[in-house]
Amino acid sequence: MSQYPDFVATIDTSGLTCPLPLLRTKKALQTIESGQVLKILTTDKSALSDFQAFAKQTGNTILLQEPTEVEGTVVHFIQKR
């Protein structure tokens, strides 16, 4: 397991499918400052590629994406541009 980056907020979108994890992430990013990091938990199978596309489109940076100890859950760390 990787060393997690420092983050200022966490959102849990477990059980939600696209586009809800992305919409909740977009809303949460509006509440933090530039350079701060948001932690997102997802269970949607397409979340890895969805978040990569989201970051590319929005200019935010994905610092880390990896599975957690919980089966089917992936953690994403996105730094606000």
Side-chain angles (χ1 to χ4, degrees), residues 1-2 5 11-12 14 23 34 40 43 49 53 64 67-68 77 79:
M1 180 116 347
S2 299
I11 59 170
D12 186 351
S14 299
L23 293 173
S34 179
I40 307 108
T43 53
S49 59
L64 180 67
T68 67
F77 290 88
Q79 186 174 38

Side-chain angles (χ1 to χ4, degrees), residues 2-66:
S2 299
Q3 172 82 23
Y4 285 165
D6 291 335
F7 56 93
V8 296
T10 303
I11 59 170
D12 186 351
T13 67
S14 299
L16 302 177
T17 57
C18 189
L20 291 176
L22 293 176
L23 293 173
R24 297 223 174 144
T25 297
K26 185 176 180 180
K27 188 174 182 178
L29 283 169
Q30 293 172 350
T31 68
I32 66 174
E33 295 180 24
S34 179
Q36 291 183 321
V37 177
L38 180 65
K39 175 183 175 184
I40 307 108
L41 297 170
T42 63
T43 53
D44 185 358
K45 292 187 185 339
S46 63
L48 276 172
S49 59
D50 288 347
F51 275 91
Q52 289 166 7
F54 171 78
K56 194 172 191 175
Q57 288 175 342
T58 61
N60 296 298
T61 303
I62 295 176
L63 300 177
L64 180 67
Q65 291 180 295
E66 73 176 18

